[in-house]
Amino acid sequence: MDILGIETSCDETSAAVVRDGREVLSNVVYTQIPLHRPYGGVVPEIASRAHVEKIRQVAGEALGGRKIDAVAVTYGPGLAPALLVGVNAAKGIAKSLGVPLIGVNHIEAHLHSPFLFDPSDDKETLFPDPCEECPALGLVVSGGNTILVDMPKYGKYEVIGETLDDAAGEAFDKAAKLLGLGYPGGLVIDRITTAFLAENPGKELIPFPKGRPREGVSALSGLPAALCVSFSGLKTALLRYVQTHPELSLSGPDERDYGGRVVTPAAAHVIASYQEAIVGAVVDRVRTALAMRPRKAFILGGGVSLNSGIRKELTKLCAEKGVKLYMAKPKYTGDNGAMIAGLAMYRRRVEGEAAMRMDATPSLEIGDGETTAEEI
Ligand code: KG4
């Protein structure tokens, strides 16, 4: 079955056609990052206007004249004016082609991205059917979410940990803004950190807090603190460090290239210490989760899952525990239509009037109201 997937929940306009849930036939992504960069973050009205301008072209390119069996779309969570563009476009395409519509949860789709493969580049056997890999634990680390879930079977999600404040991606982006590294900040912080650590193995890092919430705080809403993260203390610690070290500067006589970005060694040391605090927090929570709920696989998704520290440490941890680790190919870590089209294979198809009533749901939660295809 070939499904067209449409994604417009934030700042990427994307569409893709995926066969049988995993084989990517096309994936077109138009990123709006340059439009939002001057504001240091995503501006919902600008995002919505850019989606309106691009959606026809992006969907047309992804379709490329192919015949499809259904249209899938992200209906939440995300920015309301951005989601609406995709949902309305998907309804229009489904109606005009006379095919069913499938609503997909964006966070759940990030957990499907490790199972997507490109027929021309990849060995299909390395990308199994996710149903066969459950029970599994999953982690979505992105610009908007940091969520740890237990998946007793594919399509069922129990949230077992999450962030109490910023998502991991926000923690990267806000630090980059504070340090003057530009937007978005994750990739540049990662590159500087990788180069700095390669050059200074074993160097003592600044002991920034490791994002562990206190037991019993009400924001935990019943979740165990050992499986949750909080990045607000880390951000404040970075701000204090900058304020108490006025000599710290990105540029100076000793500045040099760290992974494509020229900064001083002192700044690179701060940046690497900050990244390692985030990596340490994430990996520590995953280690605890695997001890509390041993599972045969661990599934990692979201834009921050591209981070080299997180990839390296989780690879080590899962090898140590004998757990199979699934990470998305780099091009499927950020927001993309392929993960929407792929997961749609496992979701309920809606036709006719019912499809036209589907609504954008900005605060949709993982596991909310989804029905797997085999249940209907
Ligand atoms: O998944 P995504 O496209 O957005 C949401 O669905 O929310 O993720 C975007 C986030 C941004 O915060 C960006 O800074 C971060 O992913 N990011 C990274 C890396 N590449 C992108 N964070 C850390 N290390 C990276 N290599």
Side-chain angles (χ1 to χ4, degrees):
M1 169 172 287
D2 291 354
I3 298 179
L4 170 71
I6 293 180
E7 155 64 39
T8 65
S9 66
C10 191
D11 59 347
E12 261 91 34
T13 315
S14 181
V17 177
V18 174
R19 176 165 294 167
D20 298 333
R22 284 172 291 143
E23 185 179 346
V24 182
L25 304 184
S26 67
N27 184 49
V28 182
V29 183
Y30 163 74
T31 179
Q32 305 173 356
I33 286 175
L35 304 181
H36 300 289
R37 189 168 282 135
Y39 306 94
V42 179
V43 182
E45 289 73 22
I46 294 178
S48 156
R49 199 174 322 139
H51 286 311
V52 170
E53 281 164 14
K54 284 285 169 189
I55 189 72
R56 265 181 94 91
Q57 178 197 332
V58 167
E61 267 179 49
L63 272 172
R66 289 179 184 85
K67 221 174 124 340
I68 49 160
D69 302 293
V71 179
V73 64
T74 307
Y75 74 107
L79 302 171
L83 288 167
L84 277 171
V85 179
V87 168
N88 287 327
K91 284 181 182 175
I93 298 171
K95 188 158 189 168
S96 69
L97 297 179
V99 295
L101 187 63
I102 306 166
V104 172
N105 179 310
H106 178 85
I107 310 174
E108 295 171 10
H110 270 307
L111 288 173
H112 189 75
S113 53
F115 300 97
L116 297 169
F117 70 94
D118 299 289
S120 51
D121 306 340
D122 300 314
K123 253 200 177 143
E124 188 175 342
T125 47
L126 295 177
F127 300 82
D129 186 324
C131 295
E132 280 151 35
E133 302 311 302
C134 287
L137 292 186
L139 172 69
V140 178
V141 268
S142 70
N145 299 283
T146 299
I147 296 188
L148 197 50
V149 293
D150 194 358
M151 300 159 70
K153 60 183 258 195
Y154 203 56
K156 293 284 172 222
Y157 309 87
E158 180 195 352
V159 176
I160 57 171
E162 62 184 324
T163 178
L164 303 196
D165 35 62
D166 286 342
E170 278 175 290
F172 276 108
D173 294 342
K174 288 179 179 172
K177 194 169 178 181
L178 173 71
L179 295 168
L181 292 168
Y183 171 84
L187 193 55
V188 62
I189 288 180
D190 189 11
R191 286 187 177 150
I192 293 172
T193 301
T194 305
F196 180 83
L197 295 179
E199 205 178 80
N200 300 278
K203 179 161 171 98
E204 201 173 314
L205 297 174
I206 302 157
F208 287 130
K210 292 272 191 295
R212 171 85 185 259
R214 264 180 304 121
E215 207 64 66
V217 295
S218 60
L220 286 167
S221 322
L223 292 171
L227 299 182
C228 291
V229 288
S230 161
F231 291 121
S232 58
L234 170 63
K235 240 174 25 194
T236 308
L238 176 67
L239 177 65
R240 285 230 184 86
Y241 188 91
V242 170
Q243 285 168 342
T244 53
H245 293 77
E247 74 289 357
L248 184 73
S249 170
L250 286 184
S251 50
D254 57 348
E255 68 185 23
R256 29 184 311 229
D257 189 304
Y258 287 97
R261 184 70 185 245
V262 175
V263 296
T264 58
H269 183 221
V270 174
I271 290 163
S273 304
Y274 186 85
Q275 167 160 316
E276 290 305 280
I278 296 178
V279 173
V282 169
V283 176
D284 175 76
R285 289 337 97 87
V286 174
R287 183 186 298 280
T288 309
L290 286 171
M292 288 167 76
R293 299 184 183 225
R295 299 288 182 264
K296 66 177 192 178
F298 190 83
I299 303 170
L300 178 69
V304 181
S305 75
L306 190 57
N307 185 268
S308 27
I310 291 178
R311 286 194 165 226
K312 187 169 136 216
E313 293 304 319
L314 286 185
T315 303
K316 242 199 274 171
L317 174 65
C318 287
E320 207 179 279
K321 302 272 171 214
V323 171
K324 232 161 146 191
L325 174 64
Y326 289 99
M327 299 188 285
K329 293 177 73 176
K331 66 178 179 182
Y332 300 128
T333 53
D335 294 348
N336 65 83
M339 65 185 192
I340 306 303
L343 182 59
M345 181 71 195
Y346 303 85
R347 290 286 175 264
R348 187 159 57 101
R349 279 147 221 137
V350 192
E351 307 201 37
E353 268 311 296
M356 293 306 119
R357 283 199 300 273
M358 179 186 291
D359 262 340
T361 311
S363 54
L364 185 69
E365 294 196 5
I366 189 164
D368 240 14
E370 284 290 355
T371 311
T372 50
E374 70 263 32
E375 279 177 338
I376 51 163

